[in-house]
Amino acid sequence: MGNHSAFDATTFIDDAKDYIIAYLVHARISSIYAYRKLYQYAINHADKANQYALMSSNSYYVVSSYNCLARAYSSQKDYEKAIKFYDKAIEIGRVHNKTKLVNSSIQEKMGLFIRQNRLEEAQNLVFAKLEQRRIFAKKSNIFGMSIVNSVGKRL
């Protein structure tokens, strides 16, 4: 298997017009390339995953695809591009109420700030994450039911 031909199967996926499957395949391949430290390949597949997610118009996959792009750029240590993609994921996730994905994006972005010793920005994200949690708890209490955390306190 010379020169990464193991992933030539993506040609068939790309022709299939099933955008969600194509997103999933390219996102996974991007992760594999990042793990193998083949960063440009990781970025290329993350970009393709993002394109397919956008074509699918599925907000869950769109947000996930921006996180995938952010991770690919982060693995290459291009932190500023990674941060831009995390910001895009957070923005779209908030619009479409993808709370778990937004929290994940915030947490991963926080990790980037910590790696760069940008501690004040990381601290600000802690507050953003707490606010996101408060919004989620408030939305979850719509029908007069309260959410109780693991120690029995109402959120």
Side-chain angles (χ1 to χ4, degrees):
M1 288 197 180
N3 205 10
H4 310 293
S5 63
F7 299 114
D8 286 342
T10 59
T11 303
F12 298 109
I13 297 296
D14 294 343
D15 292 338
K17 303 294 184 232
D18 185 335
Y19 301 133
I20 291 174
I21 295 292
Y23 157 76
L24 292 168
V25 168
H26 284 288
R28 180 57 60 201
I29 291 171
S30 175
S31 296
I32 292 167
Y33 277 134
Y35 176 77
R36 295 182 66 204
K37 296 180 173 49
L38 298 167
Y39 303 123
Q40 194 53 54
Y41 289 106
I43 289 169
N44 292 344
H45 281 279
D47 186 54
K48 276 199 159 219
N50 178 253
Q51 291 171 27
Y52 284 115
L54 290 168
M55 286 190 280
S56 78
S57 299
N58 182 309
S59 60
Y60 178 88
Y61 292 111
V62 170
V63 174
S64 295
S65 73
Y66 282 112
N67 283 334
C68 181
L69 272 166
R71 286 184 207 110
Y73 279 102
S74 175
S75 67
Q76 192 177 23
K77 297 186 177 15
D78 190 342
Y79 297 131
E80 292 312 308
K81 276 191 181 172
I83 289 166
K84 285 180 187 178
F85 286 119
Y86 281 128
D87 287 342
K88 190 76 173 166
I90 292 165
E91 174 190 338
I92 294 169
R94 283 185 173 148
V95 168
H96 294 282
N97 298 313
K98 303 299 179 196
T99 306
K100 288 182 182 180
L101 289 173
V102 169
N103 282 335
S104 176
S105 302
I106 291 171
Q107 185 139 349
E108 291 178 32
K109 184 178 171 186
M110 194 182 335
L112 286 183
F113 284 146
I114 291 169
R115 270 185 244 138
Q116 297 174 73
N117 205 30
R118 294 164 64 175
L119 302 180
E120 187 173 328
E121 289 167 284
Q123 180 182 11
N124 290 338
L125 285 176
V126 169
F127 295 125
K129 189 167 168 122
L130 290 172
E131 177 63 13
Q132 187 69 30
R133 184 180 223 180
R134 186 191 65 74
I135 290 168
F136 177 72
K138 191 174 183 180
K139 284 181 182 177
S140 299
N141 196 13
I142 293 172
F143 301 106
M145 300 165 38
S146 63
I147 297 177
V148 178
N149 68 14
S150 60
V151 292
K153 290 186 180 178
R154 243 180 108 178
L155 295 177

